[in-house]
Amino acid sequence: MTWERQITIKSPQELEIMRIAGQINAEALQAAHDIARPGVSTADLNAAAEEVLKKYGVYSPFLNYPGPYPYPASTTISVNEELVHGIPNPRRKLREGDIVSVDCGTVYEGFVADSAITFPIGEVSPQVQKLLEVTEAVLYVGIEKLVAGNRVGDVSAAIQQYVESHGLHVTREYTGHGVGRQMHEGPQVPNYGSPGRGMLLRVGMTIALEPMVLIGSPATRVLEDQWTVVSRNGLPTAHFEHTVAITENGPRILTLLKDGSKPGRNGKNQV
């Protein structure tokens, strides 16, 4: 994907707009989650999310996003070994034991919210359950470091250390990023790094933080569709993401549901 490198500082009023965008985005993720079961297609999940966007008269910045060819959907739906950028497909039916990552963006009054969840379809193995739990937990480990005065490397290092302490791996090729009027702004926030390095974090920055975690190896490859990224070893992967504002009172998650809970698992906070 191409990147907009500009860093924008948001006013309190702009953060309120982004919070509304985030609520809508969370609701779209929740809608996709709630219909997911064996026999449902990944295109069905995309359609459920799109219905929410249509209800609010908004759209996803994913649709027609430039790349090898314009991205053809409002969400990315990635199953099992697919790490990110999976294209929704009516022929791809979910099965018992799959894990599904749903990533969506919302543009509301010119501002973007971006978030993702990964969840199981029925029962999964202990190894896969651990993958899900570690990836979700490390998102909040990273969010705790999104504090004015820290540096990007403090966030990146905390994510890497937590994941690797559990015997798993973070992706090297794909990163979190600033978000605002553009879906991809600066700073770029890798899921690995060194404390005290990188850009200084300031009040008013908004970051889409997105740990992507793999089993056995961090190596990935891109499928022939030129979008879908998979683990090179074919093992399952997981991806969680929130858009977060850096405020004078610490990090503020903008992509929660209206009641303050997070999407997925019936919206209940699991961490």
Side-chain angles (χ1 to χ4, degrees):
M1 286 186 171
T2 57
W3 289 79
E4 294 287 341
R5 297 293 183 177
Q6 181 181 4
I7 295 169
T8 60
I9 300 299
K10 287 77 176 180
S11 68
Q13 294 79 14
E14 289 171 333
L15 291 182
E16 292 308 313
I17 294 172
M18 290 187 69
R19 172 65 182 122
I20 295 171
Q23 290 175 16
I24 297 169
N25 209 63
E27 189 174 328
L29 293 181
Q30 187 68 44
H33 169 274
D34 287 349
I35 69 160
R37 59 183 58 86
V40 170
S41 75
T42 56
D44 293 332
L45 303 189
N46 179 73
E50 285 187 334
E51 282 300 311
V52 173
L53 302 184
K54 290 175 185 176
K55 180 176 76 170
Y56 290 100
V58 299
Y59 66 94
S60 171
F62 293 14
L63 185 62
N64 295 319
Y65 193 88
Y69 51 90
Y71 187 76
S74 295
T75 64
T76 69
I77 312 288
S78 307
V79 182
N80 296 334
E81 76 280 3
E82 296 169 357
L83 181 67
V84 286
H85 306 163
I87 300 173
N89 187 329
R91 297 184 300 277
R92 182 67 183 270
K93 307 290 187 180
L94 301 179
R95 298 180 295 180
E96 178 82 16
D98 284 343
I99 57 171
V100 184
S101 294
V102 182
D103 191 352
C104 187
T106 294
V107 182
Y108 173 77
E109 294 190 4
F111 285 90
V112 178
D114 184 9
S115 57
I117 55 175
T118 305
F119 52 88
I121 305 299
E123 296 296 320
V124 295
S125 70
Q127 181 187 45
V128 171
Q129 185 61 39
K130 176 184 175 182
L131 171 71
L132 293 174
E133 291 173 356
V134 170
T135 310
E136 185 170 20
V138 78
L139 173 59
Y140 296 92
V141 169
I143 287 171
E144 288 180 358
K145 296 292 185 179
L146 288 174
V147 176
N150 278 354
R151 293 189 176 272
V152 165
D154 298 319
V155 183
S156 301
I159 291 171
Q160 181 182 11
Q161 181 178 13
Y162 186 89
V163 170
E164 292 180 353
S165 74
H166 287 84
L168 296 168
H169 299 267
V170 292
T171 185
R172 295 303 200 267
E173 293 92 349
Y174 305 94
T175 74
H177 51 91
V179 64
R181 290 193 179 275
Q182 304 290 331
M183 186 168 71
H184 288 131
E185 298 182 350
Q188 202 166 341
V189 185
N191 291 309
Y192 67 97
S194 301
R197 303 287 295 275
M199 184 169 293
L200 187 70
L201 300 177
R202 293 181 287 156
V203 169
M205 285 182 171
T206 44
I207 307 292
L209 194 65
E210 48 183 326
M212 306 168 212
V213 179
L214 304 96
I215 298 171
S217 166
T220 61
R221 64 186 180 90
V222 180
L223 296 184
E224 290 182 359
D225 67 16
Q226 301 180 72
W227 277 106
T228 307
V229 178
V230 301
S231 60
R232 190 166 292 178
N233 61 15
L235 294 178
T237 67
H239 172 212
F240 284 85
E241 177 182 20
H242 272 310
T243 295
V244 183
I246 299 172
T247 78
E248 293 179 350
N249 299 315
R252 180 189 181 192
I253 301 174
L254 301 177
T255 42
L256 296 171
L257 292 161
K258 190 173 184 179
D259 66 1
S261 64
K262 61 187 180 181
R265 299 176 185 165
N266 300 316
K268 303 301 182 183
N269 195 322
Q270 301 291 311
V271 173

